[in-house]
Amino acid sequence: MEKIYTRPSYIREGATSGFCPGCMHSTVHKLVGEVLDELGIVNKTVTVWGVGCCILGAGYTTHDSFGSPHGRACAVASAYKRTNPDEIVYTYQGDGDLASIGIAETIYAANRGENFTVIFINNSTYGMTGGQMAPTTLVGQKATTAPFGRDPKQHGYPVHVCELLATLKAPYYLERVTCLDAPNVLKAKKAIKKAFQNQIDGKGFSLVEIMSNCPTNWGMAPLETLEFMKENTLKEFPLGVYRDKDAE
Amino acid sequence: MEKRFMKGAEAIAEAAVRAGCRFFAGYPITPQNEIPEYFARRMPEVGGVFLQGESEVASINMVNGAAFGGTRSMTSSSSCGISLKAEGVSQAATDHLPIVVCSVMRGGPGVGPITGSQQDYWQATKAHGNGGYKLLVFTPESVQEAVDMTYHAWDYAEKYRNPVMILIDGVIGVMMEPIELPDMVSDEFIAQNKAAKKAAYAPGPREDGRKEKHPINVSDGGPMGRNHADWMKYEGWKENETDVEFYQTDDAELIIAAYGISARIAKSAIGILRSEGYKVGLIRPKRVYPFPTKAFADLCPKKIKGILDVEMSMPPQLAEDVDAATKGAIPMEYCLTSYGVIMNRDDIVAKAKEMLNK
């Protein structure tokens, strides 16, 4: 019998992810694992985990990884990659980590054109700390620190990372995708694979932003979050390629 | 050995390169800019990496990233910049990364003046960052000593898998002196050391199958075991790693307690005092952590009339450790400057005479 589908070798046998039911983190982990297997690089890949729900991947995956303090993953990865250029390095970060406390590290790693990959999960909230307002929380969306909803007069507007980084010359590839249905999952995988292939080819900074949900902190059933995303999140954060030097 | 006439900051950078340091990240702040500037010129010559970080915080985390991969790595900063680096140094302490941090003290608190001071003793020895960790803190009094201590800093950092701090003041950083530079380690040593360190504590890929190591999660004996082991490591330092100079103390009736540039100035003051018949000596911690408690605890209250604490800090900081060592058995007085004002030799002479003439 031919085996046509299996657990990516990157995911630890018998391990549970620790993510809440319906959360897209699990899907993204599966996609990263499949890509690393397909590219044959899992044995020379190192993950730099951000802080937040993303760190749950540390106990779930099999390959080599280490943590970084809140927001610093891109700084840590810059140095690791520069001193170990033959290895494949990627950061795995959420929106609080990457776009708030770590926005400087993110912008400057991108601006230096560092040759590593960033997998960025944007779920519009601080998941692990319990639903505080994130840099990406939508206008009107409630959070524990914005109990009446995000008010631009008080809190400003959501931060758009791909658009922001696209103002810089150095980044090689920036794409925003989502995992809310099967066609989009396939597109997300394609983007992730391209971001790793770019690194293998030495092309420079590649970031894939994956629009995600948070059933727990949004206070919705998983299926409701998908409807919410279609109606709200994806209107604020349009999917698409924001930079692809291959196409230029 | 190569003889050169060099500025303290540049000599420290050259000593680091010769010790095999191949990664440096830093952020501009006076009075230590000559260190990153030197690395920026020197690293390309030796196949190393220099990165100017976007902040002190980013720089120290870059240094940790390089250390995870086994590369001997270093950063430097000054006072308020060292405060910002506390996040990464605390992380390096828990991740057991053998990094070297050069702290070039300027005035404070806060942003403070840019001239040399000794106001970061507590920062270096007591509570730099969160969580209760300790650094080995080397305090040279000359450019030559700064070179020697920097050159060997990674030997200690790697032996104990712990960050090491070179604590100098702005004076030693900008002072030029003739020095002897140690030999450059070989490329073979650098390659072997990197591979060995990476295999020992870094998470890098391995040919023999994947074996993840996550420093936040992994420790022998659980999370409390890690803290306990670190505590025992620090206790061991108190026995094995103190370093102190006794200068003309045999017949002394007054002991000056000082480190770094203040000790250097105090030695000059002792020359004047001795020529006038005043029996004054100096106890100089060459490392302020672990503190040489015994050196002060062994002082005889019947023989020593007093201790003169000489440091460029108000409030006095070294003084607290000295007083704790003697358990207050010997009266202490102070000769202090602060806020970037350099110690005056004549003030030390006058204060010592006043104490001995009582």
Side-chain angles (χ1 to χ4, degrees), chain A residues 220-240:
Chain A
M220 297 178 195
L223 288 177
E224 286 177 325
T225 65
L226 304 184
E227 289 309 310
F228 180 87
M229 285 180 71
K230 284 177 198 166
E231 292 300 317
N232 302 281
T233 312
L234 298 185
K235 287 179 180 165
E236 178 68 31
F237 292 94
L239 304 180

Side-chain angles (χ1 to χ4, degrees), chain B residues 309-327:
Chain B
D309 175 73
V310 177
E311 53 182 315
M312 287 162 26
S313 174
M314 295 175 190
Q317 303 184 28
L318 167 75
E320 280 196 355
D321 280 343
V322 175
D323 217 29
T326 64
K327 296 189 167 63

Side-chain angles (χ1 to χ4, degrees), chain B residues 208-249:
Chain B
D208 58 345
R210 299 180 303 278
K211 185 187 172 195
E212 75 286 354
K213 280 187 179 179
H214 193 278
I216 290 173
N217 293 343
V218 175
S219 67
D220 297 331
M224 213 158 73
R226 164 169 293 232
N227 283 168
H228 185 268
D230 287 342
W231 173 35
M232 290 299 113
K233 175 169 73 179
Y234 308 144
E235 288 297 308
W237 291 353
K238 292 179 185 174
E239 294 297 316
N240 304 318
E241 293 298 351
T242 58
D243 196 0
V244 59
E245 180 188 8
F246 296 90
Y247 182 78
Q248 303 198 22
T249 53

Side-chain angles (χ1 to χ4, degrees), chain B residues 79 82-83 89 101-103 105 118-129 133-139 162-168 237 259 288-290 317 321:
Chain B
S79 299
I82 293 289
S83 293
V89 176
V101 178
C102 184
S103 167
M105 292 181 277
Q118 294 184 311
Q119 289 177 254
D120 301 324
Y121 178 97
W122 287 335
Q123 183 191 50
T125 60
K126 307 295 182 196
H128 182 211
Y133 61 91
K134 290 293 185 184
L135 310 173
L136 285 166
V137 184
F138 299 169
T139 45
N162 202 87
V164 169
M165 179 175 278
I166 312 288
L167 181 68
I168 65 170
W237 291 353
Y259 71 98
V288 291
Y289 199 87
Q317 303 184 28
D321 280 343

Side-chain angles (χ1 to χ4, degrees), chain B residues 66-230:
Chain B
F68 267 122
T71 298
R72 286 188 165 186
S73 61
M74 177 177 180
T75 188
S76 65
S77 192
S78 179
S79 299
C80 45
I82 293 289
S83 293
L84 291 170
K85 287 187 192 292
E87 171 193 275
V89 176
S90 178
Q91 194 62 43
T94 196
D95 288 346
H96 293 166
L97 296 175
I99 62 167
V100 174
V101 178
C102 184
S103 167
V104 185
M105 292 181 277
R106 68 186 215 178
V111 171
I114 60 172
T115 42
S117 90
Q118 294 184 311
Q119 289 177 254
D120 301 324
Y121 178 97
W122 287 335
Q123 183 191 50
T125 60
K126 307 295 182 196
H128 182 211
N130 65 301
Y133 61 91
K134 290 293 185 184
L135 310 173
L136 285 166
V137 184
F138 299 169
T139 45
E141 62 160 8
S142 66
V143 177
Q144 182 66 59
E145 216 171 59
V147 164
D148 297 339
M149 287 177 172
T150 304
Y151 188 72
H152 293 292
W154 281 274
D155 297 339
Y156 291 97
E158 288 169 358
K159 177 180 179 183
Y160 291 110
R161 291 185 56 173
N162 202 87
V164 169
M165 179 175 278
I166 312 288
L167 181 68
I168 65 170
D169 50 81
V171 182
I172 289 175
V174 298
M175 188 162 68
M176 289 190 83
E177 290 194 279
I179 50 163
E180 284 193 350
L181 284 167
D183 293 335
M184 178 82 81
V185 296
S186 67
D187 289 345
E188 292 73 27
F189 169 81
I190 290 171
Q192 285 168 8
N193 192 56
K194 180 181 177 184
K197 296 301 177 290
K198 191 173 175 180
Y201 48 70
R206 292 170 189 79
E207 294 300 322
D208 58 345
R210 299 180 303 278
K211 185 187 172 195
E212 75 286 354
K213 280 187 179 179
H214 193 278
I216 290 173
N217 293 343
V218 175
S219 67
D220 297 331
M224 213 158 73
R226 164 169 293 232
N227 283 168
H228 185 268
D230 287 342

Side-chain angles (χ1 to χ4, degrees), chain A residues 12 64-66 72 83 87, chain B residues 87 194 198 203 212-213:
Chain A
R12 193 182 295 190
D64 297 312
S65 67
F66 53 92
R72 314 301 172 221
T83 50
E87 296 174 19
Chain B
E87 171 193 275
K194 180 181 177 184
K198 191 173 175 180
E212 75 286 354
K213 280 187 179 179

Side-chain angles (χ1 to χ4, degrees), chain A residues 9 12 43-44 46 49 55 58 62-67 69 72 75-76 79-80 82-84 87 105 108 112, chain B residues 23 49 51 54 57-58 61-62 65-66 68-69 71 87 91 194 198 203-206 210-215:
Chain A
S9 64
R12 193 182 295 190
N43 276 330
K44 60 170 183 175
V46 171
W49 303 107
I55 197 71
T62 57
H63 70 318
D64 297 312
S65 67
F66 53 92
R72 314 301 172 221
V76 174
Y80 189 91
R82 285 200 186 211
T83 50
N84 297 277
E87 296 174 19
E105 285 77 5
Y108 280 89
R112 290 189 301 267
Chain B
F23 184 89
V49 177
L51 260 178
E54 52 274 20
V57 177
N61 281 288
M62 289 171 176
F68 267 122
T71 298
E87 171 193 275
Q91 194 62 43
K194 180 181 177 184
K198 191 173 175 180
R206 292 170 189 79
R210 299 180 303 278
K211 185 187 172 195
E212 75 286 354
K213 280 187 179 179
H214 193 278

